[in-house]
Short mmCIF file of all heavy atoms in Angstrom, two decimals:
data_model
loop_
_atom_site.label_atom_id
_atom_site.label_comp_id
_atom_site.label_asym_id
_atom_site.label_seq_id
_atom_site.Cartn_x
_atom_site.Cartn_y
_atom_site.Cartn_z
N VAL A 83 8.09 -45.12 -2.05
CA VAL A 83 9.34 -45.70 -2.51
C VAL A 83 9.08 -47.12 -2.89
O VAL A 83 8.24 -47.92 -2.26
CB VAL A 83 10.39 -45.68 -1.33
CG1 VAL A 83 11.80 -46.37 -1.85
CG2 VAL A 83 10.60 -44.29 -0.75
N PRO A 84 9.63 -47.69 -4.13
CA PRO A 84 10.66 -46.90 -4.93
C PRO A 84 10.02 -46.27 -6.13
O PRO A 84 10.69 -46.21 -7.15
CB PRO A 84 11.62 -48.06 -5.34
CG PRO A 84 10.77 -49.23 -5.46
CD PRO A 84 9.50 -48.94 -4.51
N GLU A 85 8.67 -46.01 -6.09
CA GLU A 85 8.06 -45.48 -7.34
C GLU A 85 8.11 -43.89 -7.45
O GLU A 85 8.92 -43.31 -8.16
CB GLU A 85 6.67 -46.00 -7.33
CG GLU A 85 6.52 -47.44 -7.34
CD GLU A 85 5.21 -47.99 -7.29
OE1 GLU A 85 4.19 -47.17 -7.06
OE2 GLU A 85 4.86 -49.17 -7.30
N ARG A 86 7.17 -43.23 -6.83
CA ARG A 86 7.04 -41.88 -6.89
C ARG A 86 6.85 -41.03 -5.73
O ARG A 86 6.58 -41.63 -4.70
CB ARG A 86 5.93 -41.57 -7.88
CG ARG A 86 6.01 -42.06 -9.34
CD ARG A 86 4.88 -41.63 -10.17
NE ARG A 86 5.12 -42.14 -11.57
CZ ARG A 86 5.75 -41.40 -12.50
NH1 ARG A 86 6.03 -40.21 -12.25
NH2 ARG A 86 5.74 -41.90 -13.78
N THR A 87 7.14 -39.70 -5.73
CA THR A 87 6.77 -38.97 -4.68
C THR A 87 5.85 -37.78 -5.05
O THR A 87 5.86 -37.36 -6.26
CB THR A 87 8.07 -38.21 -4.07
OG1 THR A 87 7.81 -37.26 -2.94
CG2 THR A 87 8.82 -37.34 -5.12
N GLU A 88 4.84 -37.49 -4.27
CA GLU A 88 3.89 -36.38 -4.57
C GLU A 88 4.36 -35.12 -3.87
O GLU A 88 4.66 -35.13 -2.66
CB GLU A 88 2.52 -36.82 -4.10
CG GLU A 88 1.80 -37.82 -4.98
CD GLU A 88 0.44 -38.04 -4.38
OE1 GLU A 88 -0.06 -37.19 -3.65
OE2 GLU A 88 -0.15 -39.08 -4.92
N ARG A 89 4.33 -34.04 -4.53
CA ARG A 89 4.68 -32.79 -4.00
C ARG A 89 3.47 -31.90 -4.16
O ARG A 89 3.03 -31.66 -5.16
CB ARG A 89 5.97 -32.22 -4.53
CG ARG A 89 7.22 -33.01 -4.22
CD ARG A 89 8.40 -32.20 -4.61
NE ARG A 89 9.73 -33.04 -4.51
CZ ARG A 89 10.36 -33.08 -3.45
NH1 ARG A 89 9.99 -32.37 -2.37
NH2 ARG A 89 11.49 -33.73 -3.44
N ASN A 90 3.22 -31.05 -3.12
CA ASN A 90 2.29 -29.97 -3.17
C ASN A 90 3.09 -28.63 -2.84
O ASN A 90 3.62 -28.50 -1.82
CB ASN A 90 1.22 -30.07 -2.13
CG ASN A 90 0.25 -31.19 -2.38
OD1 ASN A 90 0.52 -31.91 -3.37
ND2 ASN A 90 -0.82 -31.40 -1.62
N ILE A 91 3.05 -27.67 -3.75
CA ILE A 91 3.72 -26.45 -3.64
C ILE A 91 2.81 -25.28 -3.72
O ILE A 91 1.89 -25.13 -4.62
CB ILE A 91 4.75 -26.22 -4.82
CG1 ILE A 91 5.79 -27.39 -4.86
CG2 ILE A 91 5.49 -24.92 -4.76
CD1 ILE A 91 6.71 -27.40 -5.95
N GLN A 92 2.83 -24.48 -2.61
CA GLN A 92 2.06 -23.24 -2.50
C GLN A 92 2.90 -22.15 -3.18
O GLN A 92 3.93 -21.81 -2.82
CB GLN A 92 1.64 -22.82 -1.19
CG GLN A 92 0.99 -21.57 -0.91
CD GLN A 92 -0.39 -21.48 -1.64
OE1 GLN A 92 -1.13 -22.47 -1.62
NE2 GLN A 92 -0.67 -20.49 -2.38
N VAL A 93 2.26 -21.55 -4.28
CA VAL A 93 2.85 -20.43 -5.02
C VAL A 93 2.15 -19.10 -4.69
O VAL A 93 0.89 -19.03 -4.79
CB VAL A 93 2.87 -20.63 -6.46
CG1 VAL A 93 3.43 -19.50 -7.32
CG2 VAL A 93 3.49 -22.04 -6.86
N ASP A 94 2.84 -18.14 -4.20
CA ASP A 94 2.13 -16.81 -3.84
C ASP A 94 2.14 -15.73 -4.89
O ASP A 94 1.45 -14.86 -4.80
CB ASP A 94 2.90 -16.21 -2.53
CG ASP A 94 2.91 -17.11 -1.44
OD1 ASP A 94 1.92 -17.96 -1.30
OD2 ASP A 94 3.74 -17.02 -0.50
N ARG A 95 2.94 -15.96 -5.95
CA ARG A 95 2.99 -14.92 -7.05
C ARG A 95 2.86 -15.61 -8.35
O ARG A 95 3.57 -16.51 -8.80
CB ARG A 95 4.34 -14.24 -7.04
CG ARG A 95 4.54 -13.12 -8.00
CD ARG A 95 5.85 -12.34 -7.84
NE ARG A 95 5.92 -11.83 -6.55
CZ ARG A 95 7.04 -11.40 -5.88
NH1 ARG A 95 8.21 -11.72 -6.45
NH2 ARG A 95 7.03 -10.95 -4.77
N VAL A 96 1.86 -15.15 -9.11
CA VAL A 96 1.58 -15.78 -10.50
C VAL A 96 1.33 -14.64 -11.45
O VAL A 96 0.74 -13.54 -11.21
CB VAL A 96 0.18 -16.53 -10.42
CG1 VAL A 96 -0.08 -17.13 -11.75
CG2 VAL A 96 0.24 -17.57 -9.31
N VAL A 97 2.19 -14.76 -12.67
CA VAL A 97 2.09 -13.67 -13.61
C VAL A 97 1.70 -14.38 -14.97
O VAL A 97 2.35 -15.47 -15.22
CB VAL A 97 3.42 -12.93 -13.80
CG1 VAL A 97 3.29 -11.86 -14.90
CG2 VAL A 97 3.81 -12.36 -12.48
N GLU A 98 0.74 -13.89 -15.73
CA GLU A 98 0.42 -14.45 -16.96
C GLU A 98 1.45 -14.03 -18.01
O GLU A 98 1.52 -12.87 -18.44
CB GLU A 98 -1.00 -14.06 -17.34
CG GLU A 98 -1.29 -14.66 -18.74
CD GLU A 98 -2.83 -15.11 -18.91
OE1 GLU A 98 -3.63 -14.34 -18.35
OE2 GLU A 98 -3.10 -16.19 -19.42
N ARG A 99 2.24 -15.00 -18.51
CA ARG A 99 3.28 -14.60 -19.40
C ARG A 99 2.80 -14.87 -20.83
O ARG A 99 3.13 -15.78 -21.54
CB ARG A 99 4.48 -15.59 -19.08
CG ARG A 99 5.86 -14.96 -19.62
CD ARG A 99 7.03 -15.78 -18.96
NE ARG A 99 7.23 -17.02 -19.71
CZ ARG A 99 8.20 -17.81 -19.46
NH1 ARG A 99 9.18 -17.49 -18.60
NH2 ARG A 99 8.34 -18.97 -20.23
N CYS A 100 2.12 -13.82 -21.30
CA CYS A 100 1.35 -14.01 -22.58
C CYS A 100 2.20 -13.43 -23.68
O CYS A 100 1.97 -13.72 -24.80
CB CYS A 100 0.06 -13.23 -22.52
SG CYS A 100 0.25 -11.50 -22.00
N PHE A 101 3.24 -12.71 -23.39
CA PHE A 101 4.11 -12.18 -24.48
C PHE A 101 5.55 -12.41 -24.32
O PHE A 101 6.33 -12.22 -25.33
CB PHE A 101 3.69 -10.70 -24.62
CG PHE A 101 3.92 -9.90 -23.42
CD1 PHE A 101 5.13 -9.43 -23.03
CD2 PHE A 101 2.80 -9.61 -22.70
CE1 PHE A 101 5.27 -8.69 -21.94
CE2 PHE A 101 2.94 -8.88 -21.61
CZ PHE A 101 4.32 -8.37 -21.24
N SER A 102 6.05 -12.55 -23.07
CA SER A 102 7.44 -12.55 -22.84
C SER A 102 7.98 -13.94 -22.52
O SER A 102 7.32 -14.77 -21.85
CB SER A 102 7.75 -11.59 -21.65
OG SER A 102 9.12 -11.65 -21.42
N GLY A 103 9.20 -14.27 -23.00
CA GLY A 103 9.81 -15.42 -22.57
C GLY A 103 10.75 -15.43 -21.53
O GLY A 103 11.40 -16.44 -21.21
N SER A 104 10.92 -14.22 -20.93
CA SER A 104 11.88 -14.02 -20.00
C SER A 104 11.33 -14.04 -18.57
O SER A 104 10.15 -14.21 -18.37
CB SER A 104 12.64 -12.64 -20.13
OG SER A 104 11.73 -11.61 -20.12
N SER A 105 12.13 -13.84 -17.59
CA SER A 105 11.72 -13.75 -16.13
C SER A 105 11.06 -12.53 -15.79
O SER A 105 11.32 -11.49 -16.38
CB SER A 105 12.97 -14.12 -15.27
OG SER A 105 12.62 -13.81 -13.93
N PHE A 106 10.19 -12.58 -14.64
CA PHE A 106 9.61 -11.32 -14.21
C PHE A 106 10.21 -10.91 -12.82
O PHE A 106 9.69 -10.19 -12.15
CB PHE A 106 8.10 -11.51 -13.97
CG PHE A 106 7.23 -11.44 -15.22
CD1 PHE A 106 7.03 -12.68 -15.89
CD2 PHE A 106 6.74 -10.19 -15.72
CE1 PHE A 106 6.27 -12.53 -17.06
CE2 PHE A 106 6.05 -10.14 -16.87
CZ PHE A 106 5.82 -11.32 -17.55
N SER A 107 11.49 -11.49 -12.58
CA SER A 107 12.11 -11.07 -11.32
C SER A 107 12.52 -9.64 -11.41
O SER A 107 12.68 -9.02 -10.35
CB SER A 107 13.27 -11.92 -11.12
OG SER A 107 14.24 -11.85 -12.25
N SER A 108 12.81 -9.16 -12.64
CA SER A 108 13.10 -7.71 -12.88
C SER A 108 11.98 -7.27 -13.82
O SER A 108 11.72 -7.94 -14.86
CB SER A 108 14.42 -7.50 -13.40
OG SER A 108 15.31 -7.83 -12.41
N VAL A 109 11.51 -6.01 -13.64
CA VAL A 109 10.36 -5.49 -14.50
C VAL A 109 10.67 -3.97 -14.81
O VAL A 109 11.41 -3.31 -14.24
CB VAL A 109 8.95 -5.72 -13.78
CG1 VAL A 109 8.67 -7.11 -13.61
CG2 VAL A 109 8.95 -4.89 -12.43
N PHE A 110 9.96 -3.59 -15.86
CA PHE A 110 10.06 -2.11 -16.38
C PHE A 110 8.90 -1.37 -15.61
O PHE A 110 9.13 -0.19 -15.43
CB PHE A 110 9.75 -2.04 -17.75
CG PHE A 110 10.98 -2.37 -18.70
CD1 PHE A 110 11.04 -3.51 -19.47
CD2 PHE A 110 12.04 -1.47 -18.73
CE1 PHE A 110 12.09 -3.77 -20.30
CE2 PHE A 110 13.11 -1.70 -19.60
CZ PHE A 110 13.04 -2.91 -20.30
N GLY A 111 7.86 -2.08 -15.19
CA GLY A 111 6.78 -1.29 -14.57
C GLY A 111 5.88 -2.14 -13.72
O GLY A 111 5.78 -3.39 -13.86
N MET A 112 5.12 -1.48 -12.87
CA MET A 112 4.16 -2.17 -11.91
C MET A 112 2.92 -1.29 -11.80
O MET A 112 3.02 -0.09 -11.59
CB MET A 112 4.78 -2.56 -10.69
CG MET A 112 4.05 -3.31 -9.59
SD MET A 112 4.97 -3.79 -8.19
CE MET A 112 6.18 -4.90 -8.86
N LYS A 113 1.71 -1.94 -11.80
CA LYS A 113 0.52 -1.17 -11.45
C LYS A 113 -0.17 -1.75 -10.21
O LYS A 113 -0.14 -3.04 -10.11
CB LYS A 113 -0.42 -1.22 -12.70
CG LYS A 113 -0.03 -0.34 -13.81
CD LYS A 113 -1.02 -0.44 -14.92
CE LYS A 113 -0.62 0.23 -16.16
NZ LYS A 113 -1.68 0.17 -17.28
N THR A 114 -0.72 -1.00 -9.36
CA THR A 114 -1.50 -1.38 -8.19
C THR A 114 -2.69 -0.58 -7.98
O THR A 114 -2.87 0.56 -8.54
CB THR A 114 -0.75 -1.39 -6.85
OG1 THR A 114 -0.21 0.00 -6.65
CG2 THR A 114 0.44 -2.33 -6.94
N VAL A 115 -3.76 -1.14 -7.33
CA VAL A 115 -4.90 -0.46 -6.90
C VAL A 115 -4.80 -0.29 -5.49
O VAL A 115 -4.72 -1.34 -4.68
CB VAL A 115 -6.28 -1.25 -7.27
CG1 VAL A 115 -7.39 -0.51 -6.66
CG2 VAL A 115 -6.29 -1.18 -8.76
N VAL A 116 -4.77 0.89 -4.87
CA VAL A 116 -4.67 1.17 -3.43
C VAL A 116 -6.11 1.58 -2.94
O VAL A 116 -6.63 2.45 -3.55
CB VAL A 116 -3.57 2.16 -3.06
CG1 VAL A 116 -3.40 2.25 -1.63
CG2 VAL A 116 -2.28 1.81 -3.74
N ASN A 117 -6.55 1.03 -1.90
CA ASN A 117 -7.83 1.35 -1.36
C ASN A 117 -7.74 2.80 -0.93
O ASN A 117 -7.02 3.23 -0.20
CB ASN A 117 -8.32 0.45 -0.12
CG ASN A 117 -9.68 0.46 0.14
OD1 ASN A 117 -10.48 1.10 -0.71
ND2 ASN A 117 -10.14 -0.07 1.24
#
Side-chain angles (χ1 to χ4, degrees):
V83 182
E85 298 176 357
R86 292 180 179 273
T87 179
E88 286 186 14
R89 293 190 186 274
N90 292 3
I91 299 177
Q92 176 61 42
V93 178
D94 295 338
R95 181 178 301 161
V96 182
V97 182
E98 178 142 39
R99 205 167 73 171
C100 54
F101 54 82
S102 173
S104 60
S105 164
F106 283 92
S107 58
S108 296
V109 295
F110 280 109
M112 184 177 289
K113 289 181 183 180
T114 56
V115 175
V116 187
N117 200 9

